[in-house]
């Protein structure tokens, strides 16, 4: 199943009037900045063997300025890890960010919980002053009394960078789906739980609800620039359950106990103010047959699933569609504002749910006389 997520972040590239200076600024901030642009991971249990061994499929997204490979580390009884998919590019904005996916499988001697950690320095330069990164996943594979199988993590995806104009209020609904039917909750990373490294300050321009909505609500132009978002997503049972370990020991989980935990880290960019926050004017507006946010699509293995996306604007030009989803999605465009994403699930993805998010970007073509002069001067 493919879950669609429209991040409703209609990004508007501020290219009129400030075309040259903005481009220069972006280049400067990229070359000065460090390469890390966030990560996320999810997991699905695979097999439970008669000898007590269990296997799990781990999916990692790595975001860097260029397409780079990396690994989460595991301490304790983590079993043996084998590569299912080498690091593979999903989507790239050349010179700015690249999101790639890597899939591994771990064969564990038993179903005891374990943690995976991804930590290093440094984040790109950001206004909330975060330097070191640390991302933690808690993998729970003990047998659940309600589903009769091991737990799956919440499923989600996210771009390496979200952008909003500084004057436009935005509520961004993150995609949050749980294959076990659990309640999914979000919160910013907590330093007391070693989910991040000091300073671990969330962006002051964003609030995050437990239902996974990020709200951007300030209109001050002094806050333009890059921020870093470090958050976690957890699944909570809808009624009390029991988890049973391979050796027979049991532990209870109430509706206020998280079962598993995944990290979600990305950049958030506050752009200069847009002339209008209305969709369809400068910021793109999605048109039919674009699916709704949260739509579910089912597709059998090896059968292509095509999603058509259309968007329009009256005062700007749509430049591109960007997506964050499985590595084997193919993007195609017939004309500006008209796109398709095609996903052909492989046999190893059978029975699983995969999220895909997309955004459409536009740039302004409006020019003041002053800008025309500036451009002429520059090109001479
Ligand atoms: C992991 O690999 C080692 C060495 O190949 C092997 O002895 C061990 O049984 C494996 N663990 C599992 C859980 O299969
Ligand atoms: C348990 O059985 C599986 C499947 O036969 C095997 O791959 C795995 O190595 C076994 N685990 C141990 C710890 O022997
Ligand atoms: C962080 O975790 C600690 C320990 O569980 C808890 O006491 C504290 O309230 C949490 N902080 C926030 C901001 O949630
Ligand atoms: C991509 O679009 C072009 C132009 O519409 C079309 O010719 C081509 O077959 C499409 N490719 C895929 C993979 O859909």
């Amino acid at each position: 199943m493919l879950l669609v997520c429209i991040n409703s972040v209609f990004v508007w590239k501020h290219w009129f009037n400030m075309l040259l200076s903005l481009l220069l600024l972006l280049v400067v901030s990229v070359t000065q900045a460090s390469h890390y642009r966030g990560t996320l991971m999810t997991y699905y249990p695979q097999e439970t063997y008669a000898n007590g061994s269990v296997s799990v499929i781990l999916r990692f997204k790595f975001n860097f300025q260029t397409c780079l490979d990396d690994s989460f580390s595991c301490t304790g009884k983590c079993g043996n890890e084998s590569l299912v998919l080498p690091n593979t590019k999903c989507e790239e904005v050349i010179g700015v960010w690249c999101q790639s996916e890597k899939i591994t499988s771990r064969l564990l001697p038993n179903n005891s919980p374990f943690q995976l950690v991804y930590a290093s320095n440094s984040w790109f330069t950001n206004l909330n002053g975060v330097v070191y990164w640390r991302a933690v996943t808690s993998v729970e594979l003990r047998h659940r009394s309600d589903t009769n199988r091991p737990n799956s993590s919440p499923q989600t995806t996210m771009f390496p960078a979200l952008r909003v104009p500084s004057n436009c209020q935005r509520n961004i609904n993150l995609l949050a789906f749980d294959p076990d039917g659990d309640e999914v909750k979000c919160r910013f990373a907590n330093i007391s739980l070693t989910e991040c490294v000091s300073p671990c300050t969330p962006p002051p321009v964003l609030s995050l609800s437990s239902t996974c909505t990020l709200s951007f609500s300030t209109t001050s132009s002094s806050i333009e620039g890059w921020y870093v978002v470090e958050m976690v997503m957890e699944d909570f049972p809808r009624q009390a359950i029991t988890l049973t370990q391979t050796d027979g020991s049991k532990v209870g989980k109430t509706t206020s106990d998280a079962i598993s935990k995944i990290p979600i880290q990305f950049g958030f960019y506050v752009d200069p103010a847009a002339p209008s926050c209305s969709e369809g004017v400068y910021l793109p507006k999605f048109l039919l047959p674009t699916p709704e946010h949260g739509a579910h699509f089912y597709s059998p293995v090896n059968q292509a699933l095509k999603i058509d996306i259309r968007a329009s604007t009256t005062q700007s030009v749509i430049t591109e569609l960007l997506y964050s989803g499985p590595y084997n999605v193919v993007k195609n465009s017939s004309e500006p504002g008209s796109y398709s994403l095609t996903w052909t699930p492989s046999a190893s993805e059978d029975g699983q749910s995969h999220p895909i998010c997309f955004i459409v970007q536009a740039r302004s073509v409006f020019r003041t006389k002053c800008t025309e002069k500036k451009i002429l001067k520059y090109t001479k």
Side-chain angles (χ1 to χ4, degrees):
M1 182 172 75
L2 195 65
L3 292 139
V4 174
C5 136
I6 301 175
N7 272 118
S8 72
V9 181
F10 305 109
V11 176
W12 178 67
K13 281 192 182 169
H14 195 76
W15 275 11
F16 82 89
N17 226 324
M18 280 182 218
L19 176 66
L20 305 169
S21 64
L22 187 79
L23 280 178
L24 286 176
L25 273 175
L26 279 174
V27 170
V28 169
S29 73
V30 162
T31 47
Q32 274 181 347
S34 179
H35 53 294
Y36 180 68
R37 308 214 147 224
T39 192
L40 70 91
M41 77 158 286
T42 59
Y43 76 86
Y44 264 102
Q46 203 176 12
E47 301 282 345
T48 301
Y49 298 103
N51 61 9
S53 286
V54 294
S55 61
V56 60
I57 291 280
L58 307 168
R59 281 197 164 72
F60 306 90
K61 290 260 168 73
F62 292 109
N63 308 333
F64 288 99
Q65 191 186 325
T66 52
C67 307
L68 292 179
D69 183 17
D70 216 336
S71 301
F72 279 53
S73 60
C74 185
T75 45
K77 286 189 179 160
C78 301
N80 297 335
E81 187 170 29
S82 51
L83 200 57
V84 175
L85 176 80
N87 202 58
T88 304
K89 183 174 93 178
C90 296
E91 180 73 293
E92 183 177 21
V93 178
I94 291 167
V96 182
W97 57 254
C98 176
Q99 182 167 69
S100 53
E101 183 169 52
K102 175 164 148 178
I103 306 175
T104 68
S105 165
R106 267 186 192 276
L107 180 62
L108 303 137
N110 59 48
N111 64 4
S112 331
F114 63 95
Q115 279 204 333
L116 293 164
V117 176
Y118 184 44
S120 186
N121 72 319
S122 28
W123 274 99
F124 59 85
T125 309
N126 57 86
L127 293 171
N128 42 333
V130 179
V131 180
Y132 291 85
W133 84 76
R134 181 180 167 88
V136 179
T137 303
S138 297
V139 181
E140 177 59 79
L141 293 169
R142 285 175 288 188
H143 189 88
R144 289 176 63 136
S145 57
D146 56 345
T147 60
N148 256 323
R149 55 184 319 240
N151 185 63
S152 301
S153 74
Q155 303 295 313
T156 188
T157 193
M158 178 46 80
F159 292 90
L162 288 181
R163 299 175 63 159
V164 296
S166 63
N167 58 327
C168 301
Q169 146 75 31
R170 282 285 177 265
N171 287 326
I172 302 152
N173 297 315
L174 307 181
L175 187 73
F177 173 80
D178 192 275
D180 306 302
D182 296 322
E183 183 177 10
V184 178
K185 290 188 192 171
C186 289
R187 56 180 174 77
F188 285 124
N190 182 333
I191 197 162
S192 323
L193 303 173
T194 66
E195 294 165 345
C196 52
V197 179
S198 179
C200 176
T201 321
V205 296
L206 284 177
S207 61
L208 175 61
S209 75
S210 66
T211 53
C212 303
T213 298
L214 271 177
S215 300
F216 172 76
S217 57
T218 182
T219 53
S220 157
S221 62
S222 63
I223 42 94
E224 288 165 15
W226 281 105
Y227 296 86
V228 156
V229 180
E230 296 175 305
M231 51 178 280
V232 297
M233 201 177 257
E234 294 170 309
D235 48 349
F236 293 79
R238 291 189 190 272
Q239 56 196 39
I241 60 165
T242 305
L243 298 174
T244 307
Q245 201 156 324
T246 310
D247 66 8
S249 60
K250 291 179 194 295
V251 61
K253 292 268 178 190
T254 70
T255 53
S256 49
D257 297 324
I259 308 172
S260 64
K261 170 165 85 181
I262 57 167
I264 306 172
Q265 303 192 343
F266 54 95
F268 185 82
Y269 189 74
V270 179
D271 272 298
S276 162
C277 294
S278 304
E279 290 168 16
V281 185
Y282 288 91
L283 310 181
K285 178 191 176 80
F286 286 111
L287 308 173
L288 288 173
T290 310
E292 298 275 304
H293 176 78
H296 293 187
F297 288 88
Y298 296 86
S299 181
V301 164
N302 293 330
Q303 192 169 309
L305 171 65
K306 184 162 166 266
I307 297 173
D308 288 311
I309 298 156
R310 302 231 189 299
S312 77
T313 54
T314 55
Q315 302 297 315
S316 61
V317 170
I318 291 180
T319 53
E320 65 208 318
L321 171 87
L322 297 171
Y323 74 93
S324 173
Y327 71 95
N328 49 354
V329 165
V330 178
K331 180 166 81 168
N332 202 2
S333 174
S334 47
E335 55 185 274
S338 184
Y339 303 93
S340 71
L341 293 173
T342 305
W343 183 55
T344 310
S346 63
S348 65
E349 293 166 322
D350 193 18
Q352 301 176 354
S353 302
H354 293 276
I356 185 162
C357 291
F358 54 84
I359 50 178
V360 165
Q361 301 209 111
R363 97 182 138 81
S364 179
V365 287
F366 176 78
R367 280 180 191 165
T368 61
K369 281 193 175 144
C370 168
T371 335
E372 275 167 22
K373 259 190 224 153
K374 230 180 179 174
I375 288 170
L376 280 174
K377 214 172 163 185
Y378 194 81
T379 48
K380 255 183 201 168

